Each structure stands twice: as structure tokens, then as C-alpha cells.
Amino acid sequence: MIRFFNKLYKESREDFLSIVRDNLSNDNRMFIVTANPEAFMFGEKDSEVEKLLLDDATTVVADGIGIVKGGKKIGIDIAERIPGVEIAEKLLKYGSELNKSVFFLGAKQEVIDALCAVVEEKYPSLKIAGAVNGYTPDKDAVFEEIKSAKPDIVLVALGIPAQEKLIYKHLKDFDKGIFVGVGGSFDVISGTKARAPKLFIKLNLEWLYRLLKEPSRIKRFYNSNVKFLLKLKK
Ligand code: UDP
């Protein structure tokens, strides 16, 4: 577990976003993993996730407060949370400012449609190179499409760890592009699902809001977060 913590990006959100913007502007390749306790737990039992978390080609940031707090418990200082949905929103904004292109893969078709409408309206100079829902059976074929489109930003919203595994499998075939697995972000940015109210976010209780809104997440929450804390205690 500690190896994953050592690998984490530990500075501020602002510093991180400026690195992302520079990489986008310079046509560099970057793969961002937005980690929560669930991601690190997958890393413990799934060798593919373990490999991608530790790879030098990957930048891992603390999306969940559980990672920041967990780090503190074992003496590793992480400045703050960097939520995936904010990385996604900033990428769309920078992409529009820099006249770049984006490819979306993930979420339901109606969510993807709503997302494209929002992006066209809010980020008019960002070119949408493609948008494919996340229930398409052959996702490797979609990646072949992405390879020909050569977009500057690739956002994949399939949930952890499917989105990271898929990106990692194809990453070496790209020489530019900012790749991020963004979980439920398309649902939020498209306006389909509301993000937690500001107060919840401020108090680091965004996870609690999601549990209250979607009680079916409780089992997933227990299996990742509670077990994660128990493991760190040991
Ligand atoms: N999803 C998908 N294909 C699948 C399973 C999930 O496109 O086969 C999408 C789902 O519609 C949602 C996202 O992946 O938009 C995962 O959201 P979730 O809130 O579970 O992610 P988290 O942020 O918790 O990792």
C-alpha cells in the first residue's frame, strides 16, 4: 500500500493544474489516475492495476479524501484532494482556450449527448473529436478510432478500474494526449447528476453525499474504504 502512497502527486491542486495545462499546451502525453481508496485496494489484488499505478508514465492524484487522510495516518503529507471532476472541467476549459480537441468515451448515450451539448455551449473553441457511450461492447475498437482521431484530450468514464486498464493498454500507441479516467464526471458535467452541495465539498463529505443519494453504493464503500482504513491501521 505504501508504494502507492509514495507514487502520489502531493502538491497543491493549483500546481497540478498548471502542469496539466503546460502538458496540454506542449502536446505532451500524460496519463492521470484519480485515486480513491478503492483504486489502491484494487492495486493490492489486481496485478494490472498495481502495474499501472506504479508506472512512471502515470501520474496518480488523490481524488478521495480517504487517500489524503490515509496518507496522514502513515506520515505521508498530501496537500489536498484533487477531484477528478475538477480535472475534467479544467481540461475542457484549457482545451477551449488553446483550441484543442477532445474525445469522450463512457456513460450512457443520453449522458454523452447532453455532455456534448454542454461542451459546445460552454467551451466553443474545443473541438469534439468523438463521443462514444460506455456500453459499446468493443472498447478496444473505440480506441482504434481514438488513435486515428489523435485528440489532445481523452476522457474515459467507465468507472475504476476498467477506465484505467483500458487507457493503460493503449497508451503506448499515442505520442500526445492527456488521458484521464473520470468515473462519474460525465454524469455531473452534463447536468444529469448534481455534484454534492458546496458545503459537503468544503467539509470533505462529498463521499457521504454520494452514499446518501445512491445507497446502493454502500457495499462498494464498505469493501473499499472501510477495509482500506483497517489495512492502514495494521
Ligand atoms: N459506465 C459505463 N459503462 C459501464 C459501466 C459504467 O459507461 O459498463 C459509466 C457509468 O454510466 C458512469 C461511470 O461509468 O457514468 C461510472 O460512474 P461511477 O459513479 O460508478 O464512478 P466513480 O466516480 O464512483 O468511479
Side-chain angles (χ1 to χ4, degrees):
M1 190 67 83
I2 193 141
R3 340 168 260 162
F4 302 141
F5 277 99
N6 285 331
K7 175 76 201 301
L8 271 175
Y9 180 84
K10 301 183 183 70
E11 312 308 321
S12 72
R13 190 179 304 189
E14 199 184 328
D15 287 353
F16 179 73
L17 290 171
S18 97
I19 294 171
V20 172
R21 197 180 198 283
D22 285 348
N23 278 330
L24 178 64
S25 165
N26 295 325
D27 292 332
N28 293 336
R29 191 185 70 186
M30 186 181 198
F31 173 24
I32 304 167
V33 175
T34 68
N36 52 20
E38 197 176 14
F40 282 8
M41 292 301 281
F42 274 118
E44 289 288 307
K45 54 183 189 221
D46 180 328
S47 61
E48 215 180 319
V49 178
E50 176 186 33
K51 187 157 178 250
L52 72 86
L53 283 173
L54 298 174
D55 197 312
D56 284 341
T58 316
T59 307
V60 186
V61 302
D63 178 321
I65 189 64
I67 297 284
V68 178
K69 293 249 162 89
K72 198 164 256 162
K73 262 197 197 334
I74 56 172
I76 293 177
D77 218 17
I78 301 147
E80 58 185 330
R81 280 185 72 197
I82 310 182
V85 63
E86 287 180 30
I87 299 173
E89 276 174 332
K90 282 292 191 305
L91 269 171
L92 300 176
K93 176 172 176 275
Y94 302 154
S96 185
E97 289 165 2
L98 299 164
N99 293 304
K100 299 285 185 182
S101 60
V102 64
F103 199 109
F104 298 118
L105 168 60
K108 296 189 187 133
Q109 187 61 44
E110 66 257 33
V111 173
I112 273 273
D113 291 341
L115 175 70
C116 289
V118 167
V119 169
E120 277 162 14
E121 158 93 34
K122 226 173 145 184
Y123 308 101
S125 300
L126 176 65
K127 181 176 170 245
I128 300 177
V132 178
N133 77 61
Y135 297 86
T136 316
D138 190 354
K139 302 196 177 61
D140 290 316
V142 179
F143 254 83
E144 295 311 317
E145 204 183 305
I146 302 176
K147 284 171 205 171
S148 348
K150 297 189 174 60
D152 303 296
I153 303 167
V154 179
L155 302 183
V156 183
L158 302 170
I160 274 184
Q163 55 196 20
E164 282 77 19
K165 284 185 175 179
L166 185 67
I167 294 173
Y168 191 61
K169 185 172 171 193
H170 295 277
L171 192 64
K172 57 182 184 318
D173 298 332
F174 291 88
D175 46 34
K176 70 157 185 182
I178 311 291
F179 295 80
V180 198
V182 294
S185 300
F186 292 178
D187 302 279
V188 172
I189 299 172
S190 65
T192 313
K193 259 191 210 175
R195 202 179 159 193
K198 284 210 171 70
L199 186 65
F200 277 78
I201 297 177
K202 198 163 168 246
L203 296 175
N204 284 321
L205 291 174
E206 191 158 13
W207 59 273
L208 177 63
Y209 179 83
R210 292 188 86 180
L211 274 187
L212 293 172
K213 277 287 209 194
E214 294 169 65
S216 59
R217 284 179 177 272
I218 194 91
K219 188 157 176 245
R220 204 176 134 189
F221 181 81
Y222 178 80
N223 277 327
S224 50
N225 293 264
V226 178
K227 287 190 180 164
F228 171 77
L229 287 177
L230 291 174
K231 204 174 172 93
L232 280 185
K233 270 222 169 88
K234 270 200 245 157

